[in-house]
Amino acid sequence: MESAGIEFAYKLLNGVLKYKNGMDILITRYAPEWPVEQMAVIDRNILRIAIFEFLVDKETPVKVAINEAVELAKLYGSDSAPRFINGVLGSLADQIPQLRRELLYPSEVV
């Protein structure tokens, strides 16, 4: 892997770890029928990566992050994973400004 790819992977990993708790709260809110702890590990992590990309990092366009997440779900998830991932991320994408504030500045959100 080239150094840019390695740097990008570290950025995703560190970002997901830093914001994991807040992202899990958002996932729980937008997928209440699927508790985060009971969700397939791959689905949970695909959601976290995409959420980090479009709510925190902001370098990846929302549609691109969602499409990449759906493609990962097709490759590594169950048959229902792509639709689930797309639905959750699509719902989140409709609320970006509010959710970004909530995730990045939780003490300021009332």
Side-chain angles (χ1 to χ4, degrees):
M1 189 187 297
E2 64 184 70
S3 66
I6 292 170
E7 288 177 33
F8 182 68
Y10 275 113
K11 181 175 158 181
L12 287 178
L13 176 64
N14 289 324
V16 167
L17 290 173
K18 180 175 181 179
Y19 294 98
K20 183 175 90 59
N21 292 336
M23 290 188 287
D24 287 355
I25 290 168
L26 297 179
I27 292 168
T28 299
R29 184 181 315 150
Y30 286 87
E33 65 282 355
W34 293 98
V36 174
E37 318 78 49
Q38 295 176 9
M39 196 177 291
V41 173
I42 190 70
D43 295 351
R44 182 172 57 226
N45 287 318
I46 290 170
L47 287 169
R48 288 173 177 159
I49 291 168
I51 292 167
F52 173 77
E53 284 186 302
F54 70 76
L55 283 183
V56 179
D57 189 47
K58 301 183 264 185
E59 287 187 25
T60 305
V62 177
K63 289 182 180 182
V64 172
I66 292 173
N67 287 339
E68 289 174 346
V70 169
E71 290 303 314
L72 285 172
K74 287 177 184 176
L75 285 172
Y76 300 108
S78 67
D79 289 342
S80 61
R83 185 173 171 192
F84 170 71
I85 298 286
N86 190 55
V88 174
L89 294 176
S91 296
L92 287 163
D94 291 339
Q95 307 294 322
I96 288 177
Q98 170 194 340
L99 297 177
R100 186 172 285 147
R101 281 190 306 274
E102 184 178 333
L103 188 62
L104 299 177
Y105 312 104
S107 61
E108 297 177 13
V109 177
V110 178

